[in-house]
Amino acid sequence: MTSKQRNSVADGTAARERVGTRYRDPALAEELSHVTWNSTLDVMLSHRSVRYYLDQPLPANTLELVVAAAQSAASTSNLQAWSVIAVEDKDRKARLAGYAADQKHIHDAPLLLVFVADLARLRAISDERGHAGVALDYIEAFIFDIADAAFAAQNAAVAIESLGLGCCYIGAMRNDPQAVANELGLPDESMVVFGMTVGRPDPAVATDVKPRLPQGIILHRERYTQIDPELMAAYEARMREFQAEQNMRNIDWTEQTAARIKDVAALTGRHVLTDFLKARGFGLK
């Protein structure tokens, strides 16, 4: 067997394993085993949220390298309407955790990255140039600063995992947006979109890759199609299998999802976001 053939076999095995784990769908895993594989795909399809960290510092310059990766993400019209705040102080992390359901991994991670949708910098530039900055008063501006922050954060997550580290998004940073803004000294026309814990995963706590919805539900070709009940039923079965393996509560994904959006209480404080945004100077026209 030639080296090229050996590489092809290795690529096919890696693809089959990663796709198989992500979807628990042997047919799709076999289909995608014929693609050209690479280390980037390997990192991306291996993603899992890490909530248990070793009590160890990060390697030198990890933060700067991750931010470089984040800044390499796409940006709406190159406006770069986001910022990130690196929080390493234990007391500040503890206070922020208190506003975010007091999640233990916020305390334990050596680094908390807080991603900010930031129109304040654009407003300052506009004011300095003597322009009215009217476009910043429209909801389009709010959409693109959220998008820019999300693009950057996902690049950061891939970079973190490529370094052998782990991370976890913290949406609960929006539970008490004003308290978080005060703690971080945010100016008007800026808000925290989410946090991200970063650290060395604790090898004693195994976390498997969570199955995602079948591609037949997410992927639409040419026009939007309705949910296929057979595909959804198959996904429910895979999720119940995953829950059993991880000693998690056994509940249908659809039931869990419906509960997460059923009423105002399910928003865990985030129902105030519109008023919060308007009070902080976001136009939202």
Side-chain angles (χ1 to χ4, degrees), residues 56-79:
Q56 296 178 3
L58 298 175
N61 298 119
T62 295
L63 172 60
E64 293 80 7
L65 183 58
V66 167
V67 171
Q71 286 192 275
S72 298
S75 171
T76 307
S77 301
N78 198 31
L79 293 172

Side-chain angles (χ1 to χ4, degrees), residues 112-127:
L112 172 67
L113 297 177
V114 183
F115 288 86
V116 178
D118 190 356
L119 296 183
R121 181 166 57 246
L122 297 182
R123 179 69 69 185
I125 291 169
S126 178
D127 290 347

Side-chain angles (χ1 to χ4, degrees), residues 27 40 55 80 82 86 112-113 130 157 161 173 224 233-234 241 284:
T40 302
D55 185 16
Q80 304 177 67
W82 65 281
L112 172 67
L113 297 177
E161 291 170 347
M173 282 289 156
Y224 194 93
E241 180 183 72
L284 305 181

Side-chain angles (χ1 to χ4, degrees), residues 21-174:
T21 301
R22 175 58 73 194
Y23 291 101
R24 301 193 175 209
D25 180 348
L28 181 62
E30 180 60 32
E31 181 181 348
L32 294 185
S33 68
H34 305 292
V35 303
T36 300
W37 198 246
N38 58 58
S39 59
T40 302
L41 289 170
D42 201 73
V43 169
M44 295 176 76
L45 269 75
S46 300
H47 167 74
R48 68 202 73 195
S49 293
V50 173
R51 295 179 174 86
Y52 295 90
Y53 301 99
L54 296 176
D55 185 16
Q56 296 178 3
L58 298 175
N61 298 119
T62 295
L63 172 60
E64 293 80 7
L65 183 58
V66 167
V67 171
Q71 286 192 275
S72 298
S75 171
T76 307
S77 301
N78 198 31
L79 293 172
Q80 304 177 67
W82 65 281
S83 292
V84 61
I85 299 174
V87 180
E88 298 174 290
D89 180 79
K90 289 186 176 181
D91 291 337
R92 191 179 307 282
K93 280 193 292 156
R95 290 193 294 273
L96 290 169
Y99 304 134
D102 207 30
Q103 296 177 65
K104 186 176 183 294
H105 44 295
I106 301 176
H107 293 271
D108 294 345
L111 173 64
L112 172 67
L113 297 177
V114 183
F115 288 86
V116 178
D118 190 356
L119 296 183
R121 181 166 57 246
L122 297 182
R123 179 69 69 185
I125 291 169
S126 178
D127 290 347
E128 182 182 348
R129 292 283 181 166
H131 297 310
V134 172
L136 297 179
D137 296 330
Y138 285 79
I139 198 167
E140 163 61 12
F142 180 65
I143 290 173
F144 72 60
D145 71 351
I146 293 283
D148 276 12
F151 299 156
Q154 188 57 28
N155 253 34
V158 173
I160 288 163
E161 291 170 347
S162 76
L163 296 170
L165 303 172
C167 61
C168 182
Y169 280 94
I170 309 293
M173 282 289 156
R174 301 189 300 277

Side-chain angles (χ1 to χ4, degrees), residues 187-209:
D188 283 349
E189 293 187 282
S190 66
M191 70 159 287
V192 169
V193 184
F194 38 68
M196 181 185 289
T197 54
V198 183
R200 297 179 186 271
D202 185 344
V205 183
T207 305
D208 207 349
V209 171

